Amino acid sequence: MKNYVIIGGSVASVGCIEGIRSADKEGKIIMLCKEKVPAYCRPLISYYLQKKTDFQKMKYRSDKFYQENNVELIYEECKKIDTSNKSVYTEKGIYPYDKLCIATGSSPFVPHFKGIEKIKNKFCFMTQDDALSLEKTIDKNSDVLIIGAGLIGLKCAEGLTGRVKSITICDLSTRILSSILDEESAKLMQKNLEKNGIKFLLGDSVSEFNNDSATMLSGKQIRFDILVTAVGVKPNIDIASDASIETEKGIIVDNNMLTSVPDIYSAGDCAQGYNMSSDTKSIIAIWPNAYMQGYCAGVNMAGQIKEFDNAIPMNAIGFFGLHALTAGIYKGKVYKEKSENAIKKLFFEDGKLVGYILIGNIENAGIYTSVIREKIPLSSLNSNILKKQPSLAVFNEKNRRKKLGGVV
Amino acid sequence: MKRIYVNEEWCLGCHLCEYNCAYANSGIKDMVKALKGAEINPKIHIEESGKITYAVSCRHCEDPICVKSCISGALSKKDGIVCIDKNKCIGCFTCILVCPYGAIRPSDEHAVQKCELCINNSVEMPACVKGCPNKAIVYEER
Ligand SMILES: Cc1cc2nc3c(=O)[nH]c(=O)nc-3n(C[C@H](O)[C@H](O)[C@H](O)COP(=O)(O)OP(=O)(O)OC[C@H]3O[C@@H](n4cnc5c(N)ncnc54)[C@H](O)[C@@H]3O)c2cc1C
């Protein structure tokens, strides 16, 4: 009987458990987790602040999940991996493994700002605990300053809307969601956020803090009661690099999620695996990717062979009812449609769809995503329909019949 | 397991499946009350392209990417059926981002909606299948 150890207790780890159990019902699984709760839906912490969900509903799997899958969930932090005697160490115990998966995710990256240490009410926005402490501190009169106009900062702002007096977001970048959207698309999303009361200071950041006010690089003064830093995240890779497992930005994995060290796998936000869109190894820090990498790792750990070789960046983000769905890479020839509240941009290269941005009308977006992931050449598709409105009519009759008349 | 299969050759493009779906899922007994004047938002939809028409609803994939991608744990597979827990869904549209069939759509509530083979509608056969006048939509083992 195999001993499996998984470090981390979030979505990549759950994927890993389900992957292992698809092939091995017997082996013993130990899951070590620093956060003292079973896996929960991390991206939903802003919906929690909006009161659209609660911690019970946010549980990623049912309460019986760990028992049903014969998983021992241990709330301890892994401090060290010893690859020579194949054990991992916490402060309290030693856990030997035959197969190990590192799924430690990422932590907030908080750059140093002068005077930040004197601020009492400062938060990150990554965990249920963060959401809880933020909730306890805010009131109707709070002025909130958020540093970072990426997904996490903006989601935090949406979550706080209506519960505080004002929200200001600053970012060094001149556009919001700069890693996901281009200028024009970012403007459209920003307009909608502004309509809902959120203020932006773009191309600007904090130069220094003086207790309850921030002096911006532009010289502006911003008074605030509550500070949220959401500048970015850093992958948790120290225990891996300390054990001489190859790391760059993340832990390097192959298409089986195997690291540079035999029997050690990695998945999720800490793993740097193949990105089909850029044709490089990169971290794709999104929930679906974490699950699929974890699942793939688990199957391989259990001794079967599985590859995950078509990961692409993709995002579904929405604020106040306006949704943006994006995938792939934005290069090559562009097909564009634009109206007041909607944008469609498709990117074509080498006879293939390689990326898209859809805002507003997002119906059937997944057909675009699958055309990208499956690298289907445009020559075998009806590209006029593809451009106008994604539907199964983009495929030829034979393919469509397979999709609608077969087991898929 | 039994699934819904569609044969585009026999589809008349009559949209009856959409109405039957909307009615079956409305929870309203009286068909007139459920449908008359209402803008329906069914879990099956007809796509048309030139002369071709066919119905699209959830394929209940063997290895459903929507379930793997769901950020709220609302989508799951139970006895082969891809189910949605509306209580957990927060309408982030990640499933719409990944469904290769365009079978998941926003609903009139906060959650998304998709075909669940009428399992919650206490009928022995999905409403779209039962009402299809030309047997273009069937419910069978393949
Ligand atoms: C506010 C917010 C909104 C988001 N929205 C979206 C979204 O809409 N769509 C999307 O796709 N993604 C979204 N994400 C990103 C998504 O949450 C992550 O990609 C995903 O959680 C990564 O999962 P993971 O399992 O790799 O790691 P994580 O979820 O980061 O979990 C890692 C776990 O490992 C634990 N851990 C770390 N080190 C150790 C150790 N040494 N020993 C034991 N345990 C350890 C950590 O405490 C943590 O519990 C969002 C993230 C945030 C914060």
Side-chain angles (χ1 to χ4, degrees), chain A residues 148-256:
Chain A
L151 174 82
I152 294 176
L154 294 178
K155 270 291 170 194
C156 180
E158 186 188 42
L160 291 172
T161 299
R163 303 189 65 174
V164 295
K165 192 166 104 210
S166 77
I167 301 167
T168 305
I169 306 182
C170 67
D171 199 306
L172 267 183
S173 166
T174 52
R175 63 174 197 267
I176 67 166
L177 295 166
S178 56
S179 62
I180 302 172
L181 298 179
D182 64 3
E183 194 73 44
E184 204 174 17
S185 319
K187 281 244 166 68
L188 182 58
M189 294 304 279
Q190 184 182 339
K191 201 176 72 187
N192 185 51
L193 285 154
E194 283 169 342
K195 218 165 62 192
N196 285 280
I198 293 166
K199 285 177 270 180
F200 287 95
L201 286 173
L202 297 179
D204 200 358
S205 189
V206 174
S207 150
E208 70 179 276
F209 289 108
N210 314 291
N211 298 319
D212 63 351
S213 90
T215 307
M216 307 301 289
L217 293 170
S218 61
K220 281 192 189 115
Q221 292 283 328
I222 308 289
R223 211 206 63 78
F224 64 89
D225 309 299
I226 294 188
L227 176 72
V228 179
T229 49
V231 175
V233 297
K234 55 173 194 305
N236 297 323
I237 59 172
D238 289 350
I239 49 168
S241 49
D242 289 349
S244 300
I245 296 167
E246 188 190 355
T247 59
E248 279 175 17
K249 281 192 175 130
I251 301 167
I252 301 291
V253 290
D254 67 12
N255 288 349
N256 306 115

Side-chain angles (χ1 to χ4, degrees), chain A residues 8 10-12 34-35 42-43 78 104-106 151 268-269 285-288:
Chain A
S10 185
V11 54
K34 195 163 81 173
E35 267 184 278
R42 189 176 305 289
C78 170
T104 46
S106 52
L151 174 82
D269 280 12
I286 54 169
W287 188 270

Side-chain angles (χ1 to χ4, degrees), chain A residues 41 43-44 47 52-53 57 59-61 287-288 291-292 295 306 314-316 323 325-326 356 362-367 369-370 373 385 391-393 397 400-401 403-408, chain B residues 3-9 45 47 49 52 54-56 59-63 65 67-73 87-88 90-94 96-103 105-106 142:
Chain A
C41 301
L44 268 49
Y47 298 84
K52 289 188 171 172
T53 187
K57 287 191 215 163
K59 285 182 180 169
Y60 184 46
R61 290 292 184 256
W287 188 270
Y291 181 90
M292 290 189 267
Y295 191 91
K306 189 171 171 70
M314 53 183 181
N315 280 282
H323 293 264
L325 271 55
T326 66
Y356 70 84
I362 47 76
E363 206 161 80
N364 293 1
I367 292 176
T369 309
S370 76
R373 290 180 83 227
I385 297 178
S391 78
L392 296 183
E397 189 188 321
R400 188 169 53 244
R401 285 187 176 214
K403 290 179 194 291
L404 294 176
V407 175
V408 291
Chain B
R3 285 186 176 80
I4 288 175
Y5 297 100
V6 170
N7 188 340
E8 65 183 48
E9 231 171 4
H45 59 270
E47 286 183 355
S49 158
I52 315 160
Y54 51 88
V56 181
R59 307 302 309 129
H60 299 282
C61 304
E62 297 273 271
D63 188 19
I65 190 169
V67 173
K68 293 185 159 181
S69 302
C70 178
I71 69 167
S72 68
N87 226 348
K88 293 189 88 175
I90 38 81
C92 71
F93 297 177
T94 305
I96 296 176
L97 175 75
V98 297
C99 173
Y101 305 98
R105 297 257 166 115
R142 282 198 181 167

Side-chain angles (χ1 to χ4, degrees), chain A residues 2 7 9 19 35 54 96 99 115 204 247 263 270 278 289 299 302 320 323 334 369 381 386 395:
Chain A
K2 268 189 197 153
I7 311 174
E35 267 184 278
D54 56 48
K99 303 280 175 184
D204 200 358
T247 59
D263 301 324
C270 62
S278 60
N289 200 55
V299 172
F320 306 109
H323 293 264
V334 189
T369 309
L381 298 170
L386 185 79
F395 302 104

